Amino acid sequence: MTEPSVLNDTKTAYDSVATLYAELFGDVLKIKPMERALLAVFAELVQAHGAGPVADIGCGPGHVTAHMHALGPVTFGIDLSSEMISLARHAHPGLRFDEGSMTALDIADGVLGGVLALYSVIHTPPAQVPAVFTEFERVLAPGGHLLLGFFVGDDALPQEFDHKVTLAYRWSPDSLANLLRQAGFVEVARLLREPHEGERFQQAHLLVRKHQEP
């Protein structure tokens, strides 16, 4: 699993910028029509399968959690940062938000219909990403869906970059898709888009499904 020092550093970094982060990104979906469309598809797939709620892992101040919940699926948020969770609870008092780590989710096996992980694994050391994907697979019901968002690298190997909060990594979509396949997922779709104004890198989403039981 991810080294405790990395988790502590990431938590501390996001705690320190939580209020500013919420101010900058709380309404970001309003200017991202492709992401909104993909979230709508994700919500429809989860509801059609009828397998349980959605966990927004790495939920930050809760804006995506609230958006997904409004689309229909019962959705709750999890974040490593206690300050982010406090902001999310204040902004969305009707929703559930829990402090926790995606390396060891306090969720029973096979109970979720969906997992959102939008830019949630970007700070995870690359060697530990497969273990995180295994954890996502564990908590999803058979046939449940995972939507993963990340920054795109231009190399087959993950690339470090100077994220404004703390050290992060860019990934090749094919590399992450391969790790997801090894963890027990089937790719459904992928979205790759060019940077918007003020963004440095291409951004990608992978939509995958956990294997159905025989």
Side-chain angles (χ1 to χ4, degrees):
M1 288 300 182
T2 305
E3 290 293 332
S5 61
V6 175
L7 293 176
N8 290 335
D9 289 348
T10 303
K11 171 180 166 53
T12 299
Y14 275 94
D15 280 345
S16 68
V17 300
T19 299
L20 177 61
Y21 186 99
E23 291 173 354
L24 291 175
F25 299 108
D27 294 328
V28 71
L29 285 175
K30 292 181 179 179
I31 60 170
K32 293 189 174 183
M34 284 185 282
E35 281 85 344
R36 291 199 310 271
L38 191 53
L39 287 170
V41 170
F42 177 82
E44 185 172 338
L45 290 171
V46 169
Q47 289 182 292
H49 190 60
V54 170
D56 180 12
I57 299 174
C59 65
H63 54 293
V64 176
T65 315
H67 183 85
M68 178 57 56
H69 191 79
L71 291 174
V74 173
T75 308
F76 64 97
I78 299 172
D79 202 276
L80 189 63
S81 166
S82 56
E83 292 298 321
M84 289 289 194
I85 290 298
S86 178
L87 290 172
R89 288 171 175 168
H90 183 265
H92 310 286
L95 299 182
R96 170 187 162 194
F97 294 96
D98 299 326
E99 187 177 346
S101 170
M102 62 186 171
T103 64
L105 295 166
D106 187 18
I107 300 173
D109 294 356
V111 298
L112 296 181
V115 167
L116 285 175
L118 303 185
Y119 306 92
S120 305
V121 302
I122 63 170
H123 303 296
T124 304
Q128 306 303 327
V129 168
V132 172
F133 289 168
T134 297
E135 185 70 348
F136 291 166
E137 193 274 344
R138 178 186 69 79
V139 298
L140 276 168
H145 287 79
L146 162 66
L147 181 60
L148 183 76
F150 55 97
F151 298 105
V152 176
D154 49 15
D155 191 89
L157 297 176
Q159 300 166 278
E160 291 185 4
F161 74 96
D162 56 336
H163 189 277
K164 292 182 179 180
V165 180
T166 188
L167 177 66
Y169 302 87
R170 297 189 288 146
W171 284 86
S172 156
D174 286 340
S175 295
L176 279 184
N178 184 54
L179 293 179
L180 287 163
R181 184 164 52 252
Q182 293 174 23
F185 291 100
V186 178
E187 184 172 343
V188 176
R190 64 175 69 184
L191 170 68
L192 177 68
R193 70 160 175 81
E194 295 303 311
H196 290 166
E197 183 178 354
E199 296 176 342
R200 290 186 284 169
F201 309 118
Q202 285 185 319
Q203 300 189 26
H205 289 74
L206 288 171
L207 177 62
V208 298
R209 183 183 70 250
K210 178 176 174 175
H211 281 292
Q212 294 275 10
E213 290 180 341

